[in-house]
Amino acid sequence: MTEDTAYMERALELAAMALGRTSPNPLVGAVVVRDGEIVGEGYHQKAGTPHAEIHALRQAGEKAKNAVLYVTLEPCCHYGKTPPCTDAIIRAGIKKVVVAVKDPNPLVAGKGIQALKDAGIEVSLGMLEARARRLNEAFFKYMVERRPFVTLKAAMSLDGKIATSSGDSKWITGAEARAYVHRLRAENDAIMVGIGTVLADDPLLTVRLPGEDRKPLRLVVDSGLRIPLTSRLVRTAREVPTVVAAVKGKCQAEKKEKLESAGVEVWELPEKEGRVGLCSLLEELGKRGVLSVLLEGGSTLNAAALAAGIVDKFIFFYAPKIIGGKGAPGPFGGTGINLLKDALEVAELSWERIGADLMLVCYPVKPAKE
């Protein structure tokens, strides 16, 4: 690893410290280096607060003059909730800026780099670009498609069962894996389940970690508006934002009114084969500024999500258990495929031990867009 790369590694490390706290903004880290020494560093901590570059420059002070700035995302050049970072970089006297990746935001998209070059600052682009893109995978997708990034999470036995044939599923994985799922919830803007999960488990879908106050949107895909008024989701809807997505024209007016009176927001959306159209649902979420969704569905919703092509990432937890049973469900229901050549391929597989369980992270190989 070169010295340059080590500085960008540190910037990426800083950026990741704010996972789940910057939406709808990206995660950004910055490091100021002068004469081979880090003199300032910082990261974007929360939307509406100073950006990473500002924190790093403030810490560097006068030492920023003729220094090199390493930043994980192209500096902004427009007024949002904060002034342009490019102006601060120029005023500080930075001589060179090393950028990991260009900002996909149309308000920036190369303009920040050009502003720095116009001011006589040397700019280098592309250091650890792939890692910088992965760090902000949800932000990049949203900026390009205006739809949220969907991560499908499933916990199962080694033989791929998410429950026994009688429906018992608590708990397949251990306490450490379940705690990790709460971290995943905190890192996403919304948590999505199907009505089957609500009826079977009556979940809360909240983040339960010490000192964590984040409340992601709770989203239930419920085509026929079957969610019980006595469910914990409905009873806590005034405390945690809760949405039920139903098929337009299938909602009983009285049930909808009662849900809304309890604080639940009901979305009536177009149907797809008798169920809520998941692509329409993602479009609606995008319009409302939701950048990331953690899908914690059962086999029915998971299969529908797979069929609709909305899954961007998989996180599978494997417990050291064998459940067996022909009737025990796996993570994907539906009709499946007839030929192996039609199976969905995944790539970028990585394993990690979480307590006694194994966590596999991978990405679907999607066909290239013409």
Side-chain angles (χ1 to χ4, degrees), residues 13 139 235 279 326:
E13 183 182 304
F139 177 75
R235 287 189 283 118
C279 290
K326 194 173 181 180

Side-chain angles (χ1 to χ4, degrees), residues 142-328:
Y142 183 81
M143 279 298 156
V144 174
E145 300 183 23
R146 290 292 161 178
R147 286 164 40 138
F149 186 93
V150 178
T151 300
L152 187 153
K153 182 277 298 181
M156 66 194 90
S157 60
L158 286 181
D159 57 334
K161 306 295 187 180
I162 62 171
T164 66
S165 55
S166 67
D168 184 28
S169 62
K170 292 183 179 176
W171 295 102
I172 290 178
T173 52
E176 293 91 340
R178 297 199 299 276
Y180 193 94
V181 170
H182 282 275
R183 279 178 51 194
L184 292 174
R185 288 179 178 180
E187 292 170 6
N188 283 270
D189 292 343
I191 304 163
M192 180 164 71
V193 297
I195 184 59
T197 296
V198 175
L199 295 175
D201 300 336
D202 193 20
L204 263 178
L205 302 181
T206 53
V207 177
R208 297 187 290 281
L209 292 173
E212 179 59 67
D213 60 358
R214 187 152 153 74
K215 296 179 179 178
L217 174 73
R218 302 181 302 187
L219 174 62
V220 181
V221 181
D222 181 9
S223 300
L225 216 57
R226 293 188 289 149
I227 187 169
L229 296 172
T230 55
S231 67
R232 295 201 293 174
L233 289 172
V234 174
R235 287 189 283 118
T236 58
R238 295 200 181 281
E239 302 158 30
V240 185
T242 306
V243 166
V244 174
V247 170
K248 192 171 185 179
K250 285 191 177 181
C251 294
Q252 293 182 354
E254 185 181 352
K255 179 69 173 287
K256 180 183 177 184
E257 186 179 330
K258 287 180 179 178
L259 286 170
E260 291 175 336
S261 295
V264 176
E265 195 174 348
V266 178
W267 295 355
E268 295 189 64
L269 299 170
E271 71 173 86
K272 176 78 172 178
E273 297 176 358
R275 301 176 184 272
V276 171
L278 295 182
C279 290
S280 297
L281 176 55
L282 283 201
E283 286 172 11
E284 188 62 33
L285 287 166
K287 289 175 187 175
R288 296 173 187 246
V290 174
L291 270 64
S292 56
V293 175
L294 180 64
L295 173 55
E296 295 192 50
S299 61
T300 300
L301 182 58
N302 287 350
L306 216 57
I310 67 166
V311 180
D312 299 294
K313 181 178 183 177
F314 296 103
I315 299 181
F316 296 129
F317 292 91
Y318 288 92
K321 299 172 183 175
I322 304 292
I323 290 177
K326 194 173 181 180

